[in-house]
Amino acid sequence: MIELKNILKVYRTQTVETTAVNHIDLKINAGEFIAIMGPSGCGKSTLLNIIGTLDSFNEGSYLFENIQVKDLNSKQKTNLRKKNIGFIFQNFNLIDGLNVFENIELPLLYNNVSKKERIEKVEEIMQRLNIQHRAKHFPQQLSGGQQQRVAIARALVHEPSLILADEPTGNLDSTNGNEVMQLLNELHHQGKTIVMVTHSNYDARFSSKIIEMRDGALYSEQQTLKSFDLSQKK
């Protein structure tokens, strides 16, 4: 599904040059759940943004479902994101002036889905995530866990092939964080491809593979057993 070869990302100012991603090779197969770990500043989020086509790279090759990303212009990258990628952020990134239904509906509007189909899809995903009773509430009226459920619903409503999650439990207490990881685990078992950046060893154990980064490079890679009780709390 995804193949990165020799990816280099360098940030430059007049006086400083920082290598954020240092010649990374990475292959992600359809249906995998990848956790990317490492100390702050090691390039995890930059790599995730490159995978999500939110950030460019200086050298290398990136194939997304056999599409060469470096050959796409800005509009083509936007269209690729809209159709194929769902994003889940640590800070939820909900729009305060829109209610729950309207926040979830946004990706469908961007993809020019008809009103009838938008209503059907939003109602279906709200029911799936048990937030249908919050449809007319605004983000500031919700708990952190509820806001993240809305963010996940928004990421899923257009049925993307890839879900990118950047510290999805970072702003949640242990109970709500565990619920979010249970949701991601269910999505993985339903065949979704997930790439998650996390500092949490517990969260990483929900993945099928853990990749550790150091100084912008891949340091280690290991398969997980998923042998522990997924219903336990953090």
Side-chain angles (χ1 to χ4, degrees):
M1 180 182 187
I2 289 173
E3 188 170 6
L4 306 176
K5 290 185 177 180
N6 201 35
I7 293 293
L8 174 70
K9 175 63 179 180
V10 178
Y11 293 103
R12 294 184 176 94
T13 67
Q14 290 183 340
T15 58
V16 178
E17 182 175 291
T18 303
T19 300
V21 175
N22 192 3
H23 297 289
I24 278 182
D25 294 330
L26 177 63
K27 188 173 183 179
I28 301 170
N29 297 313
E32 281 194 300
F33 186 170
I34 307 294
I36 302 175
M37 304 191 73
S40 296
C42 72
K44 303 185 300 297
S45 291
T46 300
L47 178 59
L48 196 74
N49 287 339
I50 289 172
I51 294 171
T53 74
L54 294 172
D55 208 344
S56 60
F57 49 94
N58 300 92
E59 295 178 13
S61 169
Y62 173 16
L63 286 176
F64 183 95
E65 295 185 345
N66 296 318
I67 298 170
Q68 183 56 259
V69 171
K70 70 179 180 181
D71 294 336
L72 302 180
N73 59 35
S74 178
K75 184 176 180 180
Q76 289 170 326
K77 288 180 182 178
T78 298
N79 287 334
L80 185 148
R81 285 195 301 274
K82 288 194 302 184
K83 295 179 182 298
N84 299 285
I85 304 175
F87 294 91
I88 303 170
F89 301 98
Q90 177 178 351
N91 295 321
F92 318 132
N93 285 9
L94 301 177
I95 298 176
D96 288 338
L98 300 180
N99 63 31
V100 166
F101 185 101
E102 293 164 340
N103 266 284
I104 298 171
E105 184 185 30
L106 279 176
L108 302 177
L109 288 169
Y110 295 149
N111 282 298
N112 298 314
V113 176
S114 69
K115 183 176 181 179
K116 179 181 178 182
E117 189 176 356
R118 292 201 308 270
I119 293 172
E120 291 174 352
K121 285 182 174 292
V122 174
E123 289 181 346
E124 179 183 354
I125 196 67
M126 286 194 302
Q127 185 169 359
R128 182 177 172 188
L129 295 182
N130 195 29
I131 51 175
Q132 66 272 23
H133 58 296
R134 299 290 189 181
K136 295 187 181 299
H137 288 73
F138 291 87
Q140 61 269 26
Q141 297 174 304
L142 306 177
S143 68
Q146 289 168 339
Q147 289 187 60
Q148 193 61 296
R149 280 179 176 269
V150 175
I152 292 172
R154 182 183 59 190
L156 296 178
V157 71
H158 63 301
E159 300 178 5
S161 57
L162 174 66
I163 298 170
L164 301 180
D166 194 353
E167 298 283 0
T169 67
N171 282 337
L172 302 177
D173 59 33
S174 60
T175 299
N176 284 309
N178 190 70
E179 288 183 0
V180 166
M181 291 312 304
Q182 294 284 358
L183 284 171
L184 292 179
N185 185 59
E186 290 172 15
L187 293 169
H188 173 225
H189 285 290
Q190 291 165 11
K192 291 292 185 183
T193 305
I194 304 172
V195 182
M196 174 181 69
V197 164
T198 182
H199 281 100
S200 168
N201 289 318
Y202 177 86
D203 290 356
R205 291 167 68 192
F206 282 84
S207 69
S208 55
K209 184 188 295 182
I210 299 174
I211 293 171
E212 185 178 356
M213 290 185 66
R214 293 187 185 179
D215 300 322
L218 298 188
Y219 179 77
S220 67
E221 181 178 309
Q222 67 180 48
Q223 300 290 330
T224 61
L225 297 177
K226 283 196 166 186
S227 60
F228 70 123
D229 180 5
L230 293 177
S231 67
Q232 65 178 300
K233 307 301 183 186
K234 286 185 181 180

